[in-house]
Amino acid sequence: MSTAILTGPPPAGSSLEDDLRSLGFDVRTAASGAGIAGELAAVPAGERVAVVDPRFVGHVHALRLALTDPRFPACAVEGALGALPEARAELASAASGATGPGELAARMEAGGVAVHRPELGVLVAAVPEGEEARAKTLGEVEAVDDEAVRLRAAVKSRDGFFTTFFISPYSRYIARWCARRGLTPNQVTTASLLTALIAAGCAATGSRGGYVAAGVLLIASFVLDCTDGQLARYSLQYSTLGAWLDATFDRAKEYAYYAGLALGAARGGDDVWALALGAMVLQTCRHVVDFSFNEANHDATANTSPTAALSDKLDSVGWTVWARRMIVLPIGERWALIAVLTALTTPRVVFTVLLIGCAFAACYTTAGRVLRSLTRKAKRTDRAAQALADLADSGPLAELAAGSVGRTVPATAYSAPFWALLATASLLVGPLFAGNAGTWRAVLQAVVYAVFAGVAVAQPLKGPLDWLVPPVLRAAEYGMILVLAAKSGADGALPAAFGLVAAVAYHHYDTVYRIRGGTGAPPHWLVRAIGGHDGRVLAVTIAAALWHGQGFTIALTALAVAIALAVLTESIRFWVSSGAPAVHDETGEPA
């Protein structure tokens, strides 16, 4: 329940009370301005409350933005202030003697409360003085269609070419249809997941009809994926559970579809599990590059460079904006490519084209970020260094090496990525080129990898290229699992490796979204329990040396199940708890 307190009776003919009721508020009227504190005291502490000037004139959507957005403890526009239960104490403290919402908001800000003030654009929110001013303001309200503004605002301000021109023009209307029927973003998100899983099942049939149906359903799933966010923005239905579902289901859908394609290919006698796993590894590493670079730089000072200036200049030219957004193969373009190729070709062609496209996109974005990092004079914060250390996902072995050997190694500006690359080379060169996969020599190399990886994170990660450390370590771990499974030749080893990488990747995505929400990484006991990247690498290399054939497949499967149970249990506990952040990607950065 929500309560709106008018600081006096509204003028004759005002629709304000009806507007507030349409937003779900029970409306009360204070006897006078000085009666705000008394009216607040009568509202139960667990309810949302709004204080509104009775002379308010404006669009209903302006009131909606100020009074119903669950992401902000307190929010205000001219003439209206909304507060969630967590800001009620500060609101009550500020209410003594206050005469209106403007004064209340100023007092709360002076007391240290962040009062969010939404961007209204062409929307009107005003408290006109006198009948002439009121009539003029009402005319300004009539001149703007707030429903059209609301629909436009439901779409991300920055998105990919395919999404912007082929999905959003109609998905916003689907979002409005859902809102008017009481559907929630979480329900649409779940429908998108189910549609993608059905698409994966169609692909798994291995028939041409199944592939065509899979392609169509994958696009339908993406339409729903766009709709859930637009519905959240249209109706301001943000939630912590919705944030978690939206952040994780995209990856679950895409990687489940990869598995469906691989199963379908196997039905036709073509084994493409290595390509499917390679596509998942490459896509996940691309995301880790994005996450690490952003975490390293989002709060850095002196964060400019000639390369960044050139990028900004290119973004000011219309066609280059879309070309640069498409070249990185964001989720819209990627899913459209996968859907069309599934319907028209074979899974092997799908994965081959996908790997080539994603590899080019990864090289393009990573090279640009390396150039930016080398040319900017940014000073990175302790928070950024801690975020990179958390993203590195070091386990007990790497921590031991960091605290012993790592302390004796001189640190330079580029030492962290150097040691990470050296660790990766020590792990992968032998199995790839010396043919020692599945031997005890590979186990020794895994120990060396853990030591070098520990040295890489021994010092605070504040160097210009230290954001490369987490993605390099991800490539090492995922790549090692892929290589050992492929080299083993065991039946089912590659599908089991696919499941293991999927479980570990979920843990890494979960870490990213917790950090983005400002709550820090998953608990350290969980990281240690699942071994860290170094412990998992050692466990898989030992399993490959101990067991061959079916035994190795069983070991990979058991490890995948154990890690999945551990990380999913803790992740679900966290994201449905009251302390989970409402993480919503409003930047439009392609995924």
Side-chain angles (χ1 to χ4, degrees):
M1 189 66 183
S2 301
T3 299
I5 299 170
L6 297 180
T7 57
S14 171
S15 64
L16 181 57
E17 292 187 65
D18 290 337
D19 292 342
L20 290 170
R21 291 190 180 99
S22 73
L23 296 177
F25 286 93
D26 178 32
V27 181
R28 300 183 183 184
T29 302
S32 65
I36 296 175
E39 291 292 341
L40 282 173
V43 179
E47 288 187 10
R48 180 205 309 269
V49 69
V51 178
V52 184
D53 192 306
R55 299 168 296 169
F56 176 89
V57 175
H59 290 99
V60 176
H61 192 50
L63 282 174
R64 181 182 289 106
L65 291 171
L67 306 182
T68 68
D69 195 327
R71 296 173 296 172
F72 307 103
C75 194
V77 293
E78 185 177 355
L81 168 72
L84 294 179
E86 53 262 40
R88 285 288 303 278
E90 292 82 356
L91 178 61
S93 177
S96 178
T99 58
E103 185 178 356
L104 278 173
R107 289 185 180 185
M108 292 178 72
E109 288 179 314
V113 178
V115 179
H116 175 69
R117 300 179 186 275
E119 292 286 341
L120 296 182
V122 297
L123 295 176
V124 177
V127 182
E129 296 285 350
E131 288 301 320
E132 184 176 345
R134 182 177 180 84
K136 180 181 178 182
T137 306
L138 286 170
E140 293 171 351
V141 172
E142 290 294 326
V144 176
D145 183 353
D146 73 334
E147 178 61 21
V149 174
R150 188 182 177 192
L151 272 174
R152 287 197 301 270
V155 179
K156 282 184 180 180
S157 59
R158 185 179 188 273
D159 221 327
F161 179 86
F162 180 77
T163 304
T164 300
F165 293 103
F166 292 91
I167 303 296
S168 292
Y170 58 87
S171 61
R172 69 185 74 182
Y173 296 102
I174 300 176
R176 182 172 66 180
W177 183 89
C178 292
R180 291 177 175 177
R181 283 151 184 81
L183 298 176
T184 67
N186 292 352
Q187 291 170 331
V188 178
T189 301
T190 303
S192 175
L193 174 66
L194 293 175
T195 304
L197 293 178
I198 295 171
C202 291
T205 63
S207 65
R208 178 52 53 194
Y211 289 149
V212 172
V216 172
L217 288 171
L218 188 63
I219 294 297
S221 174
F222 183 65
V223 172
L224 292 173
D225 182 57
C226 295
T227 300
D228 64 0
Q230 291 165 358
L231 174 58
R233 286 182 286 274
Y234 180 83
S235 57
L236 299 184
Q237 295 185 73
Y238 299 104
S239 69
T240 54
L241 179 60
W244 174 62
L245 294 177
D246 189 55
T248 57
F249 276 14
D250 280 352
R251 304 287 78 78
K253 289 180 287 190
E254 186 167 358
Y255 299 158
Y257 192 82
Y258 291 177
L261 282 175
L263 288 169
R267 285 180 175 271
D270 190 11
D271 186 353
V272 297
W273 275 107
L275 295 176
L277 179 51
M280 181 166 66
V281 168
L282 180 55
Q283 191 57 40
T284 304
C285 289
R286 283 184 63 199
H287 286 140
V288 178
V289 168
D290 296 340
F291 299 145
S292 294
F293 181 80
N294 290 335
E295 287 301 323
N297 291 287
H298 86 282
D299 58 356
T301 57
N303 205 20
T304 59
S305 75
T307 308
L310 175 61
S311 177
D312 293 339
K313 185 176 181 180
L314 289 173
D315 275 344
S316 66
V317 182
W319 69 269
T320 64
V321 174
W322 297 116
R324 296 174 73 228
R325 291 187 192 178
M326 292 173 67
I327 203 173
V328 299
L329 212 62
I331 187 170
E333 278 75 358
R334 194 168 65 250
W335 282 28
L337 177 69
I338 294 170
V340 171
L341 291 177
T342 299
L344 299 179
T345 65
T346 65
R348 181 171 291 276
V349 172
V350 174
F351 286 124
T352 301
V353 174
L354 185 63
L355 284 166
I356 293 171
C358 287
F360 179 80
C363 291
Y364 170 79
T365 55
T366 305
R369 287 167 177 173
V370 168
L371 287 174
R372 289 190 185 195
S373 301
L374 291 174
T375 55
R376 66 175 32 146
K377 304 297 182 182
K379 294 182 180 179
R380 293 180 171 85
T381 63
D382 291 336
R383 179 202 173 280
Q386 183 59 53
L388 291 179
D390 291 335
L391 289 173
D393 195 35
S394 300
L397 292 175
E399 289 179 343
L400 179 62
S404 53
V405 179
R407 299 301 182 189
T408 67
V409 177
T412 66
Y414 303 102
S415 58
F418 167 79
W419 284 105
L421 287 168
L422 188 61
T424 301
S426 69
L427 180 68
L428 295 179
V429 168
L432 280 173
F433 302 109
N436 61 12
T439 67
W440 290 104
R441 184 178 175 186
V443 174
L444 178 60
Q445 291 166 348
V447 174
V448 173
Y449 163 81
V451 173
F452 288 167
V455 174
V457 298
Q459 304 297 331
L461 297 175
K462 294 185 176 182
L465 295 180
D466 285 3
W467 56 270
L468 284 170
V469 171
V472 168
L473 297 180
R474 294 297 77 76
E477 179 183 1
Y478 300 158
M480 181 273 305
I481 296 172
L482 169 59
V483 170
L484 290 184
K487 294 281 187 179
S488 72
D491 289 340
L494 280 167
F498 188 96
L500 175 57
V501 171
V504 175
Y506 176 86
H507 165 63
H508 291 142
Y509 282 114
D510 187 49
T511 300
V512 165
Y513 285 103
R514 293 198 197 201
I515 293 172
R516 276 188 172 183
T519 59
H524 195 57
W525 67 261
L526 177 66
V527 178
R528 297 178 73 90
I530 61 176
H533 68 91
D534 44 298
R536 291 188 295 269
V537 163
L538 186 61
V540 173
T541 53
I542 290 175
L546 283 175
W547 299 292
H548 302 280
Q550 198 63 27
F552 183 53
T553 299
I554 294 172
L556 290 177
T557 303
L559 187 59
V561 171
I563 291 175
L565 288 175
V567 299
L568 281 171
T569 300
E570 164 56 24
S571 177
I572 293 171
R573 182 210 62 78
F574 172 77
W575 286 104
V576 300
S577 71
S578 59
V583 182
H584 290 271
D585 180 14
E586 301 301 325
T587 65
E589 289 294 335

